[in-house]
Amino acid sequence: MTGEAPETQASPAGPPEVRAAYFAFDRFPSTKGSAVHIGQMAAELFERFGGGLLGVLGGGNLPRYQWEPGSGIRIARFGERIPNLIDRAEAYSAWVAAHVAPHVETLRVCHVRDPWSALPVVTAPGRRYPVVYEVNGLPSVELGHTWPLAAPATLARIAELEDFCLERADVVVVPSGVIGTALRRRGVPGERIELVPNGADVPPERPRPDDAPESYLVYAGALQPWQGLDVLLRAFARLADLTGLRLVILSSVPERRARALRRLAERLGVEDRVVWRFTLPHAEVAAWLAGAAVSVAPLTGCARNVDQGCAPLKILESMAAGTPVVASGLPAVRELMADGVHGRLVAPDRPAELARAIRVLLEYPDAARAMGERGRRRVREEFAWAATRARMATIYRSITSNSGITR
Amino acid sequence: MNPCGATTGFFVLGRCGRAAVTVCRCGRQICAEHADQQGLCPECSGAQGYADPYRPGWARGFRRSYYQRSSYDYGDPNLYTGYDIYDRSGFDQGDDFAIGGDVDPDSGDGGWTDS
Ligand SMILES: [Zn+2]
Ligand SMILES: [Zn+2]
């Protein structure tokens, strides 16, 4: 390894100096896929730089400050309850600014995950560190889907904020080629964009969950409209003749988020056959994924998924569990799995087609099992977290040695 | 023995639980590893190192001065102070599934294991 190996960093009087910081406007830890991603990326950063500061959202009973003796890692959590999202985002930006300021002299790299983290980091007075801006999604696109009352002009302002930060970032990291293309279209020079795919690790064999039905389809993830759970419920209604089959929905978000979908399940007459589980720990999700006949990722064909792109961790984690996947054949999904090889790809937003693809896999369990096996192999060979982290390590190495700011 | 009440862990959080040697000013029992030189727990010690964002009104005041400074520095007041009441109103209620966490403390997605 090069000069990033931990050096002596502690002044005898105080805590270790902060040479790397990672900021995300997201709760950590949490049961959402984003938290797995944040944890892996931040862990790699801190390993390169002998610890550092992780600035994330808290709330609940998460402590505002935490630090591990010996690891050099400190965690700061923004825990103010500010109901309005714009107010909360701005207050968070100010909080990030206050957490960068004391370390501006010693920071050798800052990694951010969204524009509200990026703004204070790219504009910090006295900044000498390079900034890595990881774009997994664009709030200017996503907020239009989750907040129907958001005005187009407001989303345009958020897009301006994104552009402002993208211009000033030294490296822009994207999890899929589709997002990279979207950013090039928005004017980010291609040479600053680095593709770092999401990862997954093949989990250790675990027993089937005690309360798992005999035969079930599984959906794992959040419940935003672009996930296409409504399409999945409609497809499931078309499988009513398979009386023993259940649909297990492993929601990474709390139960009250599921109200509208539960109403839809009732209306479709399938609610008795849908099994809901909320915010399960990651290891339990892995066991449920492994026990399923088919894992479904019914992403819709909306702008958020198609133009902006996405990199659904649930597909990789299903593959890692050895379970065949039926997913919408969006460009970003094709970067992860191939039709007929690791499962089936179907047109988005077509319940009948989705139901048909699932039915075929259920009817040919040997072929389905082979697809699951190939998926597991692909994750092991191409999408292990170790590979993702190795790419990040290369990026950190190149920006800290080229920028002339290494001390 | 009084167990240390400091939070430990990264992906999965837990309590330290080593034998406490002191009590922080917040009342938490703290072991030798987790106490700083003033005998503060990591939470109180960490808060000391930064401007106090939890003073009531801090966020609003700091935010205003921060955004005013940024707008001044970058000559584009609209970018930073441009969210007006109509912009904000679209984000008052509804669902914040993906961005910016969840303001509901009972949401249960804190990844907490032992409390
Ligand atoms: Zn302790
Ligand atoms: Zn304390």
Side-chain angles (χ1 to χ4, degrees), chain A residues 27 64 66 77 81 84 87 90 103 120 147 154 157 164 257, chain B residues 9 43 50 66 80 82-83 87-88 92-93 95-96 102-103 109:
Chain A
R27 187 178 285 186
R64 282 172 168 166
Q66 194 189 329
R77 295 188 180 90
R81 294 190 63 198
N84 184 286
D87 285 339
E90 291 193 342
H103 308 302
W147 297 79
T154 310
R157 283 196 182 130
F164 180 91
R257 302 279 194 233
Chain B
E43 196 157 2
Y50 300 101
Y66 171 66
Y80 304 109
Y83 298 115
D87 288 328
R88 287 168 201 284
D92 272 339
Q93 297 294 328
D95 256 339
D96 47 349
D102 190 319
V103 290
D109 74 351

PDB file of all heavy atoms in Angstrom, chain A residues 27 64 66 77 81 84 87 90 103 120 147 154 157 164 257, chain B residues 9 43 50 66 80 82-83 87-88 92-93 95-96 102-103 109:
ATOM      1  N   ARG A  27     -29.829   8.064   7.333  1.00  0.00           N
ATOM      2  CA  ARG A  27     -29.599   7.512   8.659  1.00  0.00           C
ATOM      3  C   ARG A  27     -28.617   6.344   8.590  1.00  0.00           C
ATOM      4  O   ARG A  27     -28.646   5.561   7.657  1.00  0.00           O
ATOM      5  CB  ARG A  27     -30.918   7.037   9.263  1.00  0.00           C
ATOM      6  CG  ARG A  27     -30.769   6.595  10.707  1.00  0.00           C
ATOM      7  CD  ARG A  27     -32.082   6.178  11.280  1.00  0.00           C
ATOM      8  NE  ARG A  27     -32.923   7.339  11.572  1.00  0.00           N
ATOM      9  CZ  ARG A  27     -34.081   7.242  12.198  1.00  0.00           C
ATOM     10  NH1 ARG A  27     -34.536   6.079  12.599  1.00  0.00           N
ATOM     11  NH2 ARG A  27     -34.798   8.318  12.446  1.00  0.00           N
ATOM     12  N   ARG A  64     -25.578  10.939  19.349  1.00  0.00           N
ATOM     13  CA  ARG A  64     -25.137  12.025  18.471  1.00  0.00           C
ATOM     14  C   ARG A  64     -23.650  11.933  18.162  1.00  0.00           C
ATOM     15  O   ARG A  64     -23.231  12.312  17.078  1.00  0.00           O
ATOM     16  CB  ARG A  64     -25.475  13.362  19.111  1.00  0.00           C
ATOM     17  CG  ARG A  64     -26.948  13.628  18.909  1.00  0.00           C
ATOM     18  CD  ARG A  64     -27.478  14.815  19.644  1.00  0.00           C
ATOM     19  NE  ARG A  64     -28.820  15.079  19.111  1.00  0.00           N
ATOM     20  CZ  ARG A  64     -29.694  15.862  19.684  1.00  0.00           C
ATOM     21  NH1 ARG A  64     -29.398  16.489  20.793  1.00  0.00           N
ATOM     22  NH2 ARG A  64     -30.873  16.029  19.141  1.00  0.00           N
ATOM     23  N   GLN A  66     -20.152   9.331  18.649  1.00  0.00           N
ATOM     24  CA  GLN A  66     -19.703   7.997  19.006  1.00  0.00           C
ATOM     25  C   GLN A  66     -18.259   7.920  18.565  1.00  0.00           C
ATOM     26  O   GLN A  66     -17.901   8.466  17.523  1.00  0.00           O
ATOM     27  CB  GLN A  66     -20.553   7.008  18.198  1.00  0.00           C
ATOM     28  CG  GLN A  66     -20.498   5.580  18.648  1.00  0.00           C
ATOM     29  CD  GLN A  66     -21.202   4.669  17.649  1.00  0.00           C
ATOM     30  OE1 GLN A  66     -22.153   5.059  16.975  1.00  0.00           O
ATOM     31  NE2 GLN A  66     -20.700   3.461  17.517  1.00  0.00           N
ATOM     32  N   ARG A  77     -23.856  12.380  14.400  1.00  0.00           N
ATOM     33  CA  ARG A  77     -25.190  12.219  13.818  1.00  0.00           C
ATOM     34  C   ARG A  77     -26.022  13.474  14.012  1.00  0.00           C
ATOM     35  O   ARG A  77     -26.132  13.988  15.116  1.00  0.00           O
ATOM     36  CB  ARG A  77     -25.914  11.007  14.428  1.00  0.00           C
ATOM     37  CG  ARG A  77     -25.242   9.683  14.093  1.00  0.00           C
ATOM     38  CD  ARG A  77     -26.078   8.499  14.544  1.00  0.00           C
ATOM     39  NE  ARG A  77     -25.413   7.235  14.218  1.00  0.00           N
ATOM     40  CZ  ARG A  77     -24.570   6.612  15.031  1.00  0.00           C
ATOM     41  NH1 ARG A  77     -24.295   7.117  16.219  1.00  0.00           N
ATOM     42  NH2 ARG A  77     -24.005   5.475  14.644  1.00  0.00           N
ATOM     43  N   ARG A  81     -35.054  17.120  14.868  1.00  0.00           N
ATOM     44  CA  ARG A  81     -36.304  16.743  14.198  1.00  0.00           C
ATOM     45  C   ARG A  81     -36.886  17.978  13.534  1.00  0.00           C
ATOM     46  O   ARG A  81     -37.522  18.793  14.175  1.00  0.00           O
ATOM     47  CB  ARG A  81     -37.276  16.178  15.218  1.00  0.00           C
ATOM     48  CG  ARG A  81     -36.797  14.868  15.811  1.00  0.00           C
ATOM     49  CD  ARG A  81     -37.883  14.230  16.628  1.00  0.00           C
ATOM     50  NE  ARG A  81     -39.028  13.903  15.786  1.00  0.00           N
ATOM     51  CZ  ARG A  81     -40.240  13.663  16.262  1.00  0.00           C
ATOM     52  NH1 ARG A  81     -40.479  13.763  17.544  1.00  0.00           N
ATOM     53  NH2 ARG A  81     -41.225  13.355  15.439  1.00  0.00           N
ATOM     54  N   ASN A  84     -40.032  19.769   7.920  1.00  0.00           N
ATOM     55  CA  ASN A  84     -39.977  20.148   6.503  1.00  0.00           C
ATOM     56  C   ASN A  84     -38.649  19.698   5.892  1.00  0.00           C
ATOM     57  O   ASN A  84     -37.575  20.017   6.397  1.00  0.00           O
ATOM     58  CB  ASN A  84     -40.151  21.662   6.367  1.00  0.00           C
ATOM     59  CG  ASN A  84     -40.192  22.089   4.916  1.00  0.00           C
ATOM     60  OD1 ASN A  84     -39.165  22.096   4.240  1.00  0.00           O
ATOM     61  ND2 ASN A  84     -41.373  22.416   4.425  1.00  0.00           N
ATOM     62  N   ASP A  87     -36.130  22.498   4.978  1.00  0.00           N
ATOM     63  CA  ASP A  87     -35.543  23.066   6.197  1.00  0.00           C
ATOM     64  C   ASP A  87     -34.541  22.104   6.804  1.00  0.00           C
ATOM     65  O   ASP A  87     -33.468  22.487   7.262  1.00  0.00           O
ATOM     66  CB  ASP A  87     -36.639  23.348   7.236  1.00  0.00           C
ATOM     67  CG  ASP A  87     -37.457  24.594   6.877  1.00  0.00           C
ATOM     68  OD1 ASP A  87     -36.959  25.419   6.098  1.00  0.00           O
ATOM     69  OD2 ASP A  87     -38.593  24.703   7.381  1.00  0.00           O
ATOM     70  N   GLU A  90     -31.326  21.982   4.748  1.00  0.00           N
ATOM     71  CA  GLU A  90     -30.477  23.168   4.908  1.00  0.00           C
ATOM     72  C   GLU A  90     -29.812  23.187   6.286  1.00  0.00           C
ATOM     73  O   GLU A  90     -28.645  23.542   6.411  1.00  0.00           O
ATOM     74  CB  GLU A  90     -31.301  24.437   4.680  1.00  0.00           C
ATOM     75  CG  GLU A  90     -31.708  24.582   3.218  1.00  0.00           C
ATOM     76  CD  GLU A  90     -32.237  25.971   2.894  1.00  0.00           C
ATOM     77  OE1 GLU A  90     -32.607  26.708   3.831  1.00  0.00           O
ATOM     78  OE2 GLU A  90     -32.252  26.308   1.698  1.00  0.00           O
ATOM     79  N   HIS A 103     -11.663  20.675  10.995  1.00  0.00           N
ATOM     80  CA  HIS A 103     -10.722  19.700  10.422  1.00  0.00           C
ATOM     81  C   HIS A 103     -10.186  20.136   9.069  1.00  0.00           C
ATOM     82  O   HIS A 103      -9.519  19.361   8.397  1.00  0.00           O
ATOM     83  CB  HIS A 103     -11.417  18.347  10.265  1.00  0.00           C
ATOM     84  CG  HIS A 103     -12.074  17.868  11.514  1.00  0.00           C
ATOM     85  ND1 HIS A 103     -11.380  17.672  12.691  1.00  0.00           N
ATOM     86  CD2 HIS A 103     -13.373  17.581  11.797  1.00  0.00           C
ATOM     87  CE1 HIS A 103     -12.230  17.269  13.634  1.00  0.00           C
ATOM     88  NE2 HIS A 103     -13.442  17.220  13.114  1.00  0.00           N
ATOM     89  N   PRO A 120     -21.617  22.171   1.576  1.00  0.00           N
ATOM     90  CA  PRO A 120     -20.681  22.737   2.551  1.00  0.00           C
ATOM     91  C   PRO A 120     -19.260  22.196   2.396  1.00  0.00           C
ATOM     92  O   PRO A 120     -18.297  22.862   2.768  1.00  0.00           O
ATOM     93  CB  PRO A 120     -21.272  22.312   3.901  1.00  0.00           C
ATOM     94  CG  PRO A 120     -22.207  21.204   3.604  1.00  0.00           C
ATOM     95  CD  PRO A 120     -22.686  21.387   2.207  1.00  0.00           C
ATOM     96  N   TRP A 147     -42.583  13.185  -3.565  1.00  0.00           N
ATOM     97  CA  TRP A 147     -43.290  14.352  -3.030  1.00  0.00           C
ATOM     98  C   TRP A 147     -44.110  14.968  -4.146  1.00  0.00           C
ATOM     99  O   TRP A 147     -43.665  15.904  -4.803  1.00  0.00           O
ATOM    100  CB  TRP A 147     -42.303  15.382  -2.475  1.00  0.00           C
ATOM    101  CG  TRP A 147     -41.506  14.878  -1.335  1.00  0.00           C
ATOM    102  CD1 TRP A 147     -40.418  14.071  -1.393  1.00  0.00           C
ATOM    103  CD2 TRP A 147     -41.735  15.139   0.056  1.00  0.00           C
ATOM    104  NE1 TRP A 147     -39.949  13.813  -0.132  1.00  0.00           N
ATOM    105  CE2 TRP A 147     -40.735  14.459   0.781  1.00  0.00           C
ATOM    106  CE3 TRP A 147     -42.686  15.885   0.762  1.00  0.00           C
ATOM    107  CZ2 TRP A 147     -40.661  14.501   2.169  1.00  0.00           C
ATOM    108  CZ3 TRP A 147     -42.601  15.926   2.149  1.00  0.00           C
ATOM    109  CH2 TRP A 147     -41.605  15.237   2.832  1.00  0.00           C
ATOM    110  N   THR A 154     -39.073  24.210  -7.883  1.00  0.00           N
ATOM    111  CA  THR A 154     -38.284  23.828  -6.709  1.00  0.00           C
ATOM    112  C   THR A 154     -37.301  22.726  -7.087  1.00  0.00           C
ATOM    113  O   THR A 154     -36.128  22.762  -6.712  1.00  0.00           O
ATOM    114  CB  THR A 154     -39.222  23.323  -5.590  1.00  0.00           C
ATOM    115  OG1 THR A 154     -40.252  24.277  -5.404  1.00  0.00           O
ATOM    116  CG2 THR A 154     -38.455  23.121  -4.304  1.00  0.00           C
ATOM    117  N   ARG A 157     -34.419  24.091  -8.831  1.00  0.00           N
ATOM    118  CA  ARG A 157     -33.423  24.699  -7.936  1.00  0.00           C
ATOM    119  C   ARG A 157     -32.538  23.630  -7.303  1.00  0.00           C
ATOM    120  O   ARG A 157     -31.351  23.833  -7.106  1.00  0.00           O
ATOM    121  CB  ARG A 157     -34.110  25.477  -6.831  1.00  0.00           C
ATOM    122  CG  ARG A 157     -34.602  26.777  -7.355  1.00  0.00           C
ATOM    123  CD  ARG A 157     -34.947  27.740  -6.253  1.00  0.00           C
ATOM    124  NE  ARG A 157     -35.455  28.918  -6.936  1.00  0.00           N
ATOM    125  CZ  ARG A 157     -36.590  29.510  -6.626  1.00  0.00           C
ATOM    126  NH1 ARG A 157     -37.290  29.097  -5.605  1.00  0.00           N
ATOM    127  NH2 ARG A 157     -36.986  30.548  -7.310  1.00  0.00           N
ATOM    128  N   PHE A 164     -24.051  22.642  -9.259  1.00  0.00           N
ATOM    129  CA  PHE A 164     -23.034  23.444  -8.585  1.00  0.00           C
ATOM    130  C   PHE A 164     -22.014  22.540  -7.880  1.00  0.00           C
ATOM    131  O   PHE A 164     -20.804  22.733  -7.967  1.00  0.00           O
ATOM    132  CB  PHE A 164     -23.727  24.369  -7.569  1.00  0.00           C
ATOM    133  CG  PHE A 164     -22.807  25.268  -6.795  1.00  0.00           C
ATOM    134  CD1 PHE A 164     -22.505  26.543  -7.262  1.00  0.00           C
ATOM    135  CD2 PHE A 164     -22.251  24.845  -5.588  1.00  0.00           C
ATOM    136  CE1 PHE A 164     -21.658  27.375  -6.539  1.00  0.00           C
ATOM    137  CE2 PHE A 164     -21.402  25.673  -4.865  1.00  0.00           C
ATOM    138  CZ  PHE A 164     -21.103  26.946  -5.341  1.00  0.00           C
ATOM    139  N   ARG A 257     -45.485   3.053   6.384  1.00  0.00           N
ATOM    140  CA  ARG A 257     -45.267   3.362   4.976  1.00  0.00           C
ATOM    141  C   ARG A 257     -46.051   2.426   4.045  1.00  0.00           C
ATOM    142  O   ARG A 257     -46.127   2.651   2.856  1.00  0.00           O
ATOM    143  CB  ARG A 257     -43.791   3.191   4.613  1.00  0.00           C
ATOM    144  CG  ARG A 257     -42.863   4.030   5.406  1.00  0.00           C
ATOM    145  CD  ARG A 257     -42.846   5.418   4.832  1.00  0.00           C
ATOM    146  NE  ARG A 257     -41.742   6.167   5.358  1.00  0.00           N
ATOM    147  CZ  ARG A 257     -41.864   7.363   5.923  1.00  0.00           C
ATOM    148  NH1 ARG A 257     -43.046   7.913   6.035  1.00  0.00           N
ATOM    149  NH2 ARG A 257     -40.812   7.996   6.366  1.00  0.00           N
TER     150      ARG A 257
ATOM    151  N   GLY B   9     -19.678  -0.010  18.060  1.00  0.00           N
ATOM    152  CA  GLY B   9     -20.075  -0.688  16.825  1.00  0.00           C
ATOM    153  C   GLY B   9     -20.217   0.256  15.656  1.00  0.00           C
ATOM    154  O   GLY B   9     -20.228   1.480  15.826  1.00  0.00           O
ATOM    155  N   GLU B  43     -20.154  10.823  23.625  1.00  0.00           N
ATOM    156  CA  GLU B  43     -21.212  11.695  23.134  1.00  0.00           C
ATOM    157  C   GLU B  43     -21.000  13.139  23.608  1.00  0.00           C
ATOM    158  O   GLU B  43     -21.086  14.083  22.822  1.00  0.00           O
ATOM    159  CB  GLU B  43     -22.575  11.161  23.583  1.00  0.00           C
ATOM    160  CG  GLU B  43     -23.695  11.773  22.800  1.00  0.00           C
ATOM    161  CD  GLU B  43     -24.971  10.929  22.779  1.00  0.00           C
ATOM    162  OE1 GLU B  43     -25.012   9.859  23.423  1.00  0.00           O
ATOM    163  OE2 GLU B  43     -25.917  11.374  22.107  1.00  0.00           O
ATOM    164  N   TYR B  50     -17.363  20.714  18.489  1.00  0.00           N
ATOM    165  CA  TYR B  50     -18.009  21.403  17.375  1.00  0.00           C
ATOM    166  C   TYR B  50     -18.912  22.498  17.904  1.00  0.00           C
ATOM    167  O   TYR B  50     -19.312  22.478  19.054  1.00  0.00           O
ATOM    168  CB  TYR B  50     -18.832  20.399  16.550  1.00  0.00           C
ATOM    169  CG  TYR B  50     -17.981  19.296  15.993  1.00  0.00           C
ATOM    170  CD1 TYR B  50     -17.947  18.038  16.603  1.00  0.00           C
ATOM    171  CD2 TYR B  50     -17.188  19.515  14.875  1.00  0.00           C
ATOM    172  CE1 TYR B  50     -17.140  17.025  16.096  1.00  0.00           C
ATOM    173  CE2 TYR B  50     -16.378  18.515  14.364  1.00  0.00           C
ATOM    174  CZ  TYR B  50     -16.357  17.265  14.980  1.00  0.00           C
ATOM    175  OH  TYR B  50     -15.550  16.288  14.487  1.00  0.00           O
ATOM    176  N   TYR B  66     -24.865  30.925   7.295  1.00  0.00           N
ATOM    177  CA  TYR B  66     -24.108  30.088   6.379  1.00  0.00           C
ATOM    178  C   TYR B  66     -24.553  30.296   4.944  1.00  0.00           C
ATOM    179  O   TYR B  66     -23.749  30.490   4.045  1.00  0.00           O
ATOM    180  CB  TYR B  66     -24.263  28.622   6.772  1.00  0.00           C
ATOM    181  CG  TYR B  66     -23.691  27.691   5.750  1.00  0.00           C
ATOM    182  CD1 TYR B  66     -22.315  27.682   5.519  1.00  0.00           C
ATOM    183  CD2 TYR B  66     -24.504  26.863   5.005  1.00  0.00           C
ATOM    184  CE1 TYR B  66     -21.774  26.853   4.563  1.00  0.00           C
ATOM    185  CE2 TYR B  66     -23.969  26.030   4.048  1.00  0.00           C
ATOM    186  CZ  TYR B  66     -22.603  26.022   3.832  1.00  0.00           C
ATOM    187  OH  TYR B  66     -22.088  25.212   2.881  1.00  0.00           O
ATOM    188  N   TYR B  80     -28.889  29.686  -3.030  1.00  0.00           N
ATOM    189  CA  TYR B  80     -28.904  29.245  -1.637  1.00  0.00           C
ATOM    190  C   TYR B  80     -30.044  29.781  -0.819  1.00  0.00           C
ATOM    191  O   TYR B  80     -30.435  29.182   0.163  1.00  0.00           O
ATOM    192  CB  TYR B  80     -27.584  29.642  -0.968  1.00  0.00           C
ATOM    193  CG  TYR B  80     -26.444  29.087  -1.738  1.00  0.00           C
ATOM    194  CD1 TYR B  80     -25.614  29.899  -2.486  1.00  0.00           C
ATOM    195  CD2 TYR B  80     -26.252  27.709  -1.766  1.00  0.00           C
ATOM    196  CE1 TYR B  80     -24.593  29.353  -3.224  1.00  0.00           C
ATOM    197  CE2 TYR B  80     -25.242  27.163  -2.505  1.00  0.00           C
ATOM    198  CZ  TYR B  80     -24.409  27.988  -3.237  1.00  0.00           C
ATOM    199  OH  TYR B  80     -23.415  27.455  -3.966  1.00  0.00           O
ATOM    200  N   GLY B  82     -32.881  30.753  -2.223  1.00  0.00           N
ATOM    201  CA  GLY B  82     -33.996  30.860  -3.153  1.00  0.00           C
ATOM    202  C   GLY B  82     -35.200  30.014  -2.822  1.00  0.00           C
ATOM    203  O   GLY B  82     -36.196  30.074  -3.519  1.00  0.00           O
ATOM    204  N   TYR B  83     -35.138  29.177  -1.791  1.00  0.00           N
ATOM    205  CA  TYR B  83     -36.326  28.386  -1.486  1.00  0.00           C
ATOM    206  C   TYR B  83     -37.315  29.261  -0.739  1.00  0.00           C
ATOM    207  O   TYR B  83     -37.052  29.695   0.371  1.00  0.00           O
ATOM    208  CB  TYR B  83     -35.956  27.189  -0.613  1.00  0.00           C
ATOM    209  CG  TYR B  83     -34.997  26.251  -1.277  1.00  0.00           C
ATOM    210  CD1 TYR B  83     -33.719  26.072  -0.770  1.00  0.00           C
ATOM    211  CD2 TYR B  83     -35.381  25.534  -2.403  1.00  0.00           C
ATOM    212  CE1 TYR B  83     -32.834  25.196  -1.373  1.00  0.00           C
ATOM    213  CE2 TYR B  83     -34.499  24.664  -3.010  1.00  0.00           C
ATOM    214  CZ  TYR B  83     -33.225  24.484  -2.498  1.00  0.00           C
ATOM    215  OH  TYR B  83     -32.357  23.632  -3.084  1.00  0.00           O
ATOM    216  N   ASP B  87     -41.829  26.819  -2.286  1.00  0.00           N
ATOM    217  CA  ASP B  87     -40.918  25.688  -2.441  1.00  0.00           C
ATOM    218  C   ASP B  87     -41.024  24.755  -1.242  1.00  0.00           C
ATOM    219  O   ASP B  87     -41.113  23.545  -1.364  1.00  0.00           O
ATOM    220  CB  ASP B  87     -39.463  26.180  -2.515  1.00  0.00           C
ATOM    221  CG  ASP B  87     -39.169  26.878  -3.840  1.00  0.00           C
ATOM    222  OD1 ASP B  87     -39.770  26.479  -4.839  1.00  0.00           O
ATOM    223  OD2 ASP B  87     -38.344  27.805  -3.845  1.00  0.00           O
ATOM    224  N   ARG B  88     -40.998  25.374  -0.065  1.00  0.00           N
ATOM    225  CA  ARG B  88     -40.986  24.575   1.152  1.00  0.00           C
ATOM    226  C   ARG B  88     -42.302  23.832   1.359  1.00  0.00           C
ATOM    227  O   ARG B  88     -42.309  22.712   1.858  1.00  0.00           O
ATOM    228  CB  ARG B  88     -40.735  25.475   2.361  1.00  0.00           C
ATOM    229  CG  ARG B  88     -39.321  25.946   2.438  1.00  0.00           C
ATOM    230  CD  ARG B  88     -39.149  27.060   3.456  1.00  0.00           C
ATOM    231  NE  ARG B  88     -37.933  27.784   3.136  1.00  0.00           N
ATOM    232  CZ  ARG B  88     -36.727  27.335   3.397  1.00  0.00           C
ATOM    233  NH1 ARG B  88     -36.587  26.199   4.032  1.00  0.00           N
ATOM    234  NH2 ARG B  88     -35.665  28.013   3.040  1.00  0.00           N
ATOM    235  N   ASP B  92     -43.779  19.759   3.233  1.00  0.00           N
ATOM    236  CA  ASP B  92     -44.198  19.800   4.630  1.00  0.00           C
ATOM    237  C   ASP B  92     -44.687  18.460   5.136  1.00  0.00           C
ATOM    238  O   ASP B  92     -44.360  18.014   6.207  1.00  0.00           O
ATOM    239  CB  ASP B  92     -45.333  20.811   4.808  1.00  0.00           C
ATOM    240  CG  ASP B  92     -44.782  22.195   5.083  1.00  0.00           C
ATOM    241  OD1 ASP B  92     -43.620  22.271   5.511  1.00  0.00           O
ATOM    242  OD2 ASP B  92     -45.507  23.175   4.862  1.00  0.00           O
ATOM    243  N   GLN B  93     -45.520  17.838   4.325  1.00  0.00           N
ATOM    244  CA  GLN B  93     -46.162  16.608   4.759  1.00  0.00           C
ATOM    245  C   GLN B  93     -45.850  15.548   3.732  1.00  0.00           C
ATOM    246  O   GLN B  93     -45.373  15.857   2.664  1.00  0.00           O
ATOM    247  CB  GLN B  93     -47.674  16.801   4.823  1.00  0.00           C
ATOM    248  CG  GLN B  93     -48.117  17.830   5.827  1.00  0.00           C
ATOM    249  CD  GLN B  93     -47.813  17.412   7.247  1.00  0.00           C
ATOM    250  OE1 GLN B  93     -47.824  16.241   7.547  1.00  0.00           O
ATOM    251  NE2 GLN B  93     -47.531  18.365   8.104  1.00  0.00           N
ATOM    252  N   ASP B  95     -44.297  11.792   2.474  1.00  0.00           N
ATOM    253  CA  ASP B  95     -43.389  10.705   2.757  1.00  0.00           C
ATOM    254  C   ASP B  95     -41.975  11.051   2.354  1.00  0.00           C
ATOM    255  O   ASP B  95     -41.729  11.524   1.267  1.00  0.00           O
ATOM    256  CB  ASP B  95     -43.838   9.469   1.990  1.00  0.00           C
ATOM    257  CG  ASP B  95     -44.506   8.503   2.922  1.00  0.00           C
ATOM    258  OD1 ASP B  95     -44.259   8.621   4.131  1.00  0.00           O
ATOM    259  OD2 ASP B  95     -45.249   7.665   2.468  1.00  0.00           O
ATOM    260  N   ASP B  96     -41.068  10.785   3.272  1.00  0.00           N
ATOM    261  CA  ASP B  96     -39.669  11.002   2.935  1.00  0.00           C
ATOM    262  C   ASP B  96     -38.998   9.641   2.916  1.00  0.00           C
ATOM    263  O   ASP B  96     -38.129   9.357   3.699  1.00  0.00           O
ATOM    264  CB  ASP B  96     -39.020  11.935   3.946  1.00  0.00           C
ATOM    265  CG  ASP B  96     -39.340  11.543   5.372  1.00  0.00           C
ATOM    266  OD1 ASP B  96     -40.244  10.679   5.550  1.00  0.00           O
ATOM    267  OD2 ASP B  96     -38.723  12.054   6.294  1.00  0.00           O
ATOM    268  N   ASP B 102     -35.725   9.913   8.250  1.00  0.00           N
ATOM    269  CA  ASP B 102     -37.086   9.793   8.701  1.00  0.00           C
ATOM    270  C   ASP B 102     -37.158  10.559  10.008  1.00  0.00           C
ATOM    271  O   ASP B 102     -36.390  10.304  10.908  1.00  0.00           O
ATOM    272  CB  ASP B 102     -37.368   8.308   8.923  1.00  0.00           C
ATOM    273  CG  ASP B 102     -38.822   8.043   9.150  1.00  0.00           C
ATOM    274  OD1 ASP B 102     -39.456   8.829   9.866  1.00  0.00           O
ATOM    275  OD2 ASP B 102     -39.314   7.030   8.630  1.00  0.00           O
ATOM    276  N   VAL B 103     -38.067  11.514  10.098  1.00  0.00           N
ATOM    277  CA  VAL B 103     -38.082  12.326  11.316  1.00  0.00           C
ATOM    278  C   VAL B 103     -38.832  11.653  12.456  1.00  0.00           C
ATOM    279  O   VAL B 103     -38.847  12.144  13.562  1.00  0.00           O
ATOM    280  CB  VAL B 103     -38.673  13.728  11.101  1.00  0.00           C
ATOM    281  CG1 VAL B 103     -37.742  14.556  10.259  1.00  0.00           C
ATOM    282  CG2 VAL B 103     -40.052  13.655  10.490  1.00  0.00           C
ATOM    283  N   ASP B 109     -36.027   2.120  12.383  1.00  0.00           N
ATOM    284  CA  ASP B 109     -34.993   1.687  11.454  1.00  0.00           C
ATOM    285  C   ASP B 109     -33.622   2.181  11.931  1.00  0.00           C
ATOM    286  O   ASP B 109     -32.771   2.561  11.170  1.00  0.00           O
ATOM    287  CB  ASP B 109     -35.302   2.061   9.996  1.00  0.00           C
ATOM    288  CG  ASP B 109     -35.113   3.541   9.705  1.00  0.00           C
ATOM    289  OD1 ASP B 109     -34.903   4.294  10.651  1.00  0.00           O
ATOM    290  OD2 ASP B 109     -35.136   3.908   8.525  1.00  0.00           O
TER     291      ASP B 109
END
